[in-house]
Amino acid sequence: MAKKRPQTKPGKAGQAQVTSGEIPVVGAREPCPCGSGRRYKACHGRAASHAVTELVQRPFEGLPGECDWVALRELVPAATVPLTLKDGLPEGVPSVTLATVLPMAWPALRRDDGSVLLALQNESSTGDLARDLADTLQRALVAEPGTPVAARRVEAEGPRLQELLDPNSDFAPEVHSGFEFWIPETADNSNPEVAASLERANGAAIPTVKLAGVDAAYWCEVPEKNHLRWVMPHPEEKLLDALARLQAAGTTSLGPDTRLVGSFRAHGLMVPVWDLPSTMTAEDCEKPAAEFAERLAAALASDAPLTVEERRARGGLTNRQVTLS
């Protein structure tokens, strides 16, 4: 049910250099950047792994579009969102854009024109993804134009995204069919390495469309069947009760040959998932999804104890949960 993230390979442009005693963060099984010849987890990664950082269950809580943040982090292959900073853009930075993923798995990129791309689908070095992203964003804003920003260990006292982004701004994802947004329109597209990297990434991307009529619901096309994955803001226990009421009543369907098959848990939120027939498009989902939202709202408003059949349905829903984060 989950998307396949594009495969990226490290290259010379994305390799972090060890300077001033700072050791970049890499994968646990990769060679340590210090040059010791040992794996990172057995060398400089040991101290990082022992760092005590409180795990933040809902790192995007308080940000506009929390459900869409979760979707772009875990479910959507290719998307971008313009970000608005609380204190405005620094001089020389024309724009800041959130991207699901960047080439070479860069955490961020300062383009030649000074604009910033911030990648969402990167590993977190602490228990607080919002703090890690804020640190990367701050470094990207002052990076030299035309350079990527390397990963690093983040101090637990640093600011979080909630302190840097305008809480009153819109969060409007634009879902793309591929990763062409990596390359500015004015860039030279003749580089064969760039073309090959883009082709690999596009080949791994699952076609995905954001529904227009309901919040944070994403249709995707996979072999043999399609899915609808819908990130919901409601407390998990309350949402499970409501879904159980609808399941027992036989009203969780989105139409013929559709079925609520389970849910993901991601960053403190639940993501119900429906199987859809391969002929059912994103546009076909719009009306039944809006109707389901009305049924769900009524079920959420009910405080009546669950019946035996509803409790049985709830148990089935609980058993079909998969935790992504």
Side-chain angles (χ1 to χ4, degrees):
M1 292 186 289
K3 69 171 190 346
K4 181 187 295 183
R5 292 182 183 170
Q7 298 293 317
T8 54
K9 295 184 179 180
K12 292 182 179 179
Q15 289 175 342
Q17 300 297 316
V18 179
T19 58
S20 304
E22 180 178 301
I23 307 299
V25 175
V26 297
R29 295 181 178 275
E30 295 181 34
C32 187
C34 75
S36 67
R38 291 181 292 172
R39 290 179 177 179
Y40 178 68
K41 70 176 184 178
C43 192
H44 281 83
R46 186 186 301 273
S49 66
H50 290 165
V52 179
T53 305
E54 182 182 357
L55 178 64
V56 177
Q57 298 290 344
R58 289 178 62 179
F60 307 118
E61 186 175 16
L63 290 172
E66 179 189 5
C67 293
D68 284 309
W69 278 90
V70 172
L72 268 57
R73 167 71 182 184
E74 299 295 339
L75 304 172
V76 180
T80 54
V81 189
L83 297 180
T84 303
L85 304 187
K86 185 179 293 185
D87 297 326
L89 293 170
E91 184 177 356
V93 180
S95 65
V96 174
T97 302
L98 182 72
T100 46
V101 69
L102 292 176
M104 314 301 178
W106 291 329
L109 172 66
R110 182 94 186 269
R111 281 180 161 165
D112 291 335
D113 66 354
S115 61
V116 167
L117 289 176
L118 176 67
L120 183 56
Q121 294 177 15
N122 283 90
E123 296 301 321
S124 175
S125 66
T126 74
D128 186 355
L129 183 57
R131 195 179 308 280
D132 292 347
L133 287 166
D135 177 82
T136 301
L137 175 56
Q138 287 186 311
R139 290 187 290 129
L141 292 172
V142 297
E144 288 294 322
T147 60
V149 175
R152 74 172 185 182
R153 293 185 296 276
V154 177
E155 297 295 331
E157 304 81 43
R160 308 180 72 237
L161 279 178
Q162 287 81 346
E163 300 169 57
L164 302 183
L165 302 182
D166 183 354
N168 299 314
S169 60
D170 292 331
F171 191 80
E174 179 182 358
V175 178
H176 304 279
S177 59
F179 294 88
E180 283 74 16
F181 65 85
W182 283 354
I183 304 173
E185 293 181 0
T186 57
D188 179 8
N189 296 336
S190 62
N191 186 317
E193 291 186 7
V194 172
S197 177
L198 183 62
E199 183 178 359
R200 285 194 301 270
N202 284 346
I206 293 174
T208 302
V209 177
K210 186 179 189 299
L211 299 195
V214 294
D215 292 335
Y218 291 81
W219 170 96
C220 68
E221 180 183 1
V222 295
E224 298 182 2
K225 65 183 70 176
N226 298 336
H227 293 306
L228 182 69
R229 303 177 294 194
W230 193 340
V231 187
M232 296 186 174
H234 318 291
E236 180 174 333
E237 297 303 313
K238 186 74 173 176
L239 180 54
L240 279 170
D241 283 352
L243 291 174
R245 296 180 197 280
L246 298 179
Q247 186 86 318
T251 56
T252 56
S253 170
L254 298 178
D257 299 322
T258 69
R259 184 168 68 97
L260 176 63
V261 291
S263 62
F264 296 130
R265 284 195 190 98
H267 305 289
L269 299 180
M270 263 185 65
V271 188
V273 178
W274 283 262
D275 272 356
L276 311 172
S278 58
T279 56
M280 191 170 186
T281 66
E283 185 177 357
D284 295 334
C285 290
E286 292 285 2
K287 182 178 179 181
E291 292 171 347
F292 176 82
E294 294 180 1
R295 297 196 298 272
L296 179 63
L300 286 165
S302 175
D303 292 324
L306 296 182
T307 65
V308 172
E309 188 175 352
E310 289 168 348
R311 288 199 300 271
R312 187 179 301 114
R314 192 185 195 281
L317 291 168
T318 303
N319 291 335
R320 297 196 299 274
Q321 287 185 306
V322 176
T323 299
L324 301 181
S325 62

